[in-house]
Amino acid sequence: QQRVSEGQPVGAWRATTPFDSSGDGSLDASEFRFTGETPFHNYTGALRTNLSLFGQLDLSVLADWATGAEVFDWGSHWAAFNGLERAPRPVRHDPETGDAILGEDGEPVLFSTDDAGSALLQNGDYLKVRELALRYRVPTSILDNLGIQSASVFLLGRNLLTFARQDLVDPELAGTTSGGGLQLGGEQSITLSPPRQVRLGVQLTL
């Protein structure tokens, strides 16, 4: 849930969080708690560099970054709903004995995603190499005999690299998927990232 509450940032995440209610060090209950984070990034920026090498070769790199957000991963909720483990959830314990609760198969019972929504909140920090361009200008001494004023060969790459603190969601693609109430983004549900692109071309001036 995203909330507007006194003393909390606008839209601060409030999620079901397992906790120890008996004081024995084991997680045996769950309640809504503020995570201290928001669905939108606190800081964003971009880096660009342009280099000219040997008078003929140009290199251009563009990268951008963002930090300070948590993204809710609906994909992990759907996975758990279908009996699959995607985002780790803690084991539920008996509040009286402190022992792990076991299922019919003898395996420890995990908190459900409804009771451990905090486990579905992923770090939204990222750094992306957005574009890399390499251009080689053909020397005029080679072009004079061909009747060409100028020529260059270029190699362009887009969406080449993404660095994130988790590998479950693309934090940049976190929009709003649930209806009603406060909607500030920060939710992602099985969304594909933009594809990597590599282009090779030749530019001529006759």
Side-chain angles (χ1 to χ4, degrees), residues 146-188:
L146 301 176
I148 300 175
Q149 294 185 25
S150 63
S152 60
V153 180
F154 65 86
L155 180 66
L156 175 65
R158 289 178 176 164
N159 304 315
L160 295 179
L161 294 171
T162 297
F163 300 95
R165 296 184 184 276
Q166 42 74 35
D167 58 3
L168 293 177
V169 297
D170 184 337
E172 185 185 25
L173 303 182
T176 298
T177 58
S178 60
L182 183 67
Q183 297 186 16
L184 295 175
E187 301 177 56
Q188 187 172 129

Side-chain angles (χ1 to χ4, degrees), residues 9 25 49-50 52-53 71-72 78 87 90 93 99 112 127 137 139 150 156 177 182:
T49 183
N50 294 282
S52 182
L53 307 173
V71 179
F72 189 81
W78 308 135
H93 294 77
D99 297 331
S112 69
L127 168 67
R137 296 191 297 274
S150 63
L156 175 65
T177 58
L182 183 67

Side-chain angles (χ1 to χ4, degrees), residues 26-27 91-94 97-103 107-109:
S26 59
L27 301 176
V91 174
R92 183 184 286 273
H93 294 77
D94 188 303
T97 66
D99 297 331
I101 298 176
L102 303 180
E107 295 295 324
V109 174

